[in-house]
Amino acid sequence: MRPTSMGRLAALASTALLLAGVVSAGSAQAQSAAQARYPGGLVTYSIEFSNPQEKDNNDLPEPYGRVVVKDDGLRETTLWEHPDLDINTPTVPRYPEAGFTHRFADHFISEVCAYVGEDDTGINADDVLAQGCEPFHGPGAYTIPGPDGSVTVTVYHVG
């Protein structure tokens, strides 16, 4: 028996709908993976502060502000924090100075955020090294930019 034009058209439409469903399901899975929240636990990390325009005696930044890991903005754990002490803000190009450190996050982690300024007391206005968040996708380096530099948080392990 020879298939009719209608039969071919129905088969073609059926295949197209099936493929559209597969693409849609794949897209939903990719979107869900991109928005995944990772279980908290002991976060092993280090932080580097970058200010390419730093021009004082040692050419190193004097950062102040906070670096945190968040769970959809509801809960957060501070990884690093320092107040602006004007002329007494210490030079900290890396935290910790060598190696890595740990902090316990008792919540899911969905973002790494940095809100960090750089003290330029007596020279000009303070710089902004980082202002914002990056989606968390597990261990790796997260660079959060600002108008005058950046902050890179390297997460080595969570759990």
Side-chain angles (χ1 to χ4, degrees), residues 58-139:
N58 58 12
D59 290 339
L60 297 173
E62 294 86 19
Y64 62 88
R66 332 180 25 217
V67 175
V68 302
V69 289
K70 287 184 173 184
D71 175 20
D72 297 331
L74 302 175
R75 297 181 67 189
E76 63 184 39
T77 296
T78 301
L79 302 180
W80 175 87
E81 184 172 33
H82 201 282
D84 181 10
L85 301 174
D86 293 325
I87 199 159
N88 297 313
T89 302
T91 298
V92 182
R94 187 177 197 292
Y95 175 79
E97 286 184 37
F100 51 84
T101 191
H102 309 283
R103 189 65 50 103
F104 188 80
D106 63 349
H107 53 82
F108 282 98
I109 300 171
S110 61
E111 294 179 301
V112 178
C113 304
Y115 309 100
V116 179
E118 197 274 332
D119 188 79
D120 282 331
T121 303
I123 299 171
N124 53 25
D126 286 0
D127 294 329
V128 177
L129 300 186
Q131 195 75 322
C133 301
E134 290 290 323
F136 186 73
H137 51 74

Side-chain angles (χ1 to χ4, degrees), residues 43-48 94 99-101 139-140 154-158:
V43 180
T44 304
Y45 66 97
S46 64
I47 302 171
E48 292 189 45
R94 187 177 197 292
F100 51 84
T101 191
T154 302
V155 177
Y156 301 100
H157 182 72
V158 178

